[in-house]
Amino acid sequence: MLKRMFNSLPGPTPVRIALGVAIAAVALVALFFFYDWLGQTYLDTGGTIG
Amino acid sequence: MDTPNDLADSAVSVPKPSMAVRLIRGIGWTSITVGVLILGFVVQQLFVTDILAQREQTALGEAAEEYFDSAVVEDVEVVPGFGIVEPGGNPPPIEPGQSSMILRREASPELGTAFATIRIPKLEKLTEGWTIVEGVRRADLTTGAGHMPATALPGQPGNAVISGHRTTYGAPFHNLDELVAGDRIEVDTAIGTHVYEVRERIVVKPTALWVTDPRPGAWLTLTTCHPKWAASERLIVFAELIEGPNAEVIKAIS
């Protein structure tokens, strides 16, 4: 699946690699914020009242 | 020798995986993906937030030291039986034999400002101290313990409410459930060190706003999530001021 996604990126191979790295970085950051929201909503809110 | 046409024929003749094989392969890849995502979540919650909080604490500790030197502190007159005489206000008549006292009052810090340090000698994580910032927004609590605005500041008359994470972001209040009546809690602010003694520990719903209500005397209320790894309830520790720059004055006016 990853290979298919990589092949579907536009441009020559170096451009595809750069695009792939950029998309992976954005996805990781988005995942981090999602994890953070999940944790602070359901596991440990920081103990706030009200 | 194979001709190009023969090779093409042999490539086409590779049998397609059956539906069952494709299904098992799909379940396998899905399980691996879900497993990696869950592992990532655990690593982020257990280790990454901890590293981030520890790094913030180092910077906040220095910021709090600077704040101690620059904080606005004023001495206000207090008359037992009357209360605080606001600067510019009319002082009450002082009866013979009665004398006024001085309360050291600190101005409220701005949101996000590191302004105090909490130490709990009994809890390993807090023997060295954990910096308190003003505010209980998510961003505030990821850096330190947070003081709830509109409640009294530590060392002042009323009820100072401080919230902190229990299992993530450095987990300053991880073992708050080990505190029992009589344990000491120390809070450093710009006017000195205030020593509190634990009076009570309870578990309430997250909506129990009454725990933040002002009380006669000077109280410290610590709040955190309960049980560990869940946000369904709150563990509350009430402690009363017993020593510090304002302890005697507050006792006299309460």
Side-chain angles (χ1 to χ4, degrees), chain B residues 22-50:
Chain B
R22 278 160 57 194
L23 186 69
I24 291 169
R25 196 178 285 168
I27 291 171
W29 277 111
T30 306
S31 302
I32 289 169
T33 307
V34 170
V36 168
L37 286 174
I38 291 173
L39 188 68
F41 179 61
V42 171
V43 168
Q44 194 266 355
Q45 290 292 300
L46 275 183
F47 304 109
V48 177
T49 62
D50 208 43

Side-chain angles (χ1 to χ4, degrees), chain B residues 75-98:
Chain B
D75 291 341
V76 290
E77 197 180 355
V78 167
V79 178
F82 175 79
I84 296 169
V85 180
E86 291 299 335
N90 288 329
I94 296 178
E95 291 169 16
Q98 191 182 31

Side-chain angles (χ1 to χ4, degrees), chain A residues 31-32 35-50, chain B residues 37 41 44-45 138 163-169 206 223 225 230-231 234:
Chain A
L31 196 62
F32 176 86
Y35 283 161
D36 205 43
W37 171 83
L38 206 61
Q40 291 202 58
T41 303
Y42 296 105
L43 295 188
D44 186 357
T45 63
T48 50
I49 294 282
Chain B
L37 286 174
F41 179 61
Q44 194 266 355
Q45 290 292 300
R138 281 192 174 192
S163 303
H165 279 285
R166 184 117 193 246
T167 49
T168 59
Y169 284 101
T223 75
C225 287
R234 297 289 180 270

Side-chain angles (χ1 to χ4, degrees), chain B residues 52-62 129-132 143-145:
Chain B
L52 292 175
Q54 295 291 352
R55 208 165 54 184
E56 289 283 354
Q57 275 293 305
T58 307
L60 285 180
E62 291 166 13
W130 198 262
T131 306
I132 303 169
T143 58

Side-chain angles (χ1 to χ4, degrees), chain B residues 142-158:
Chain B
T142 58
T143 58
H147 169 254
M148 192 174 180
T151 66
L153 289 175
Q156 301 298 319

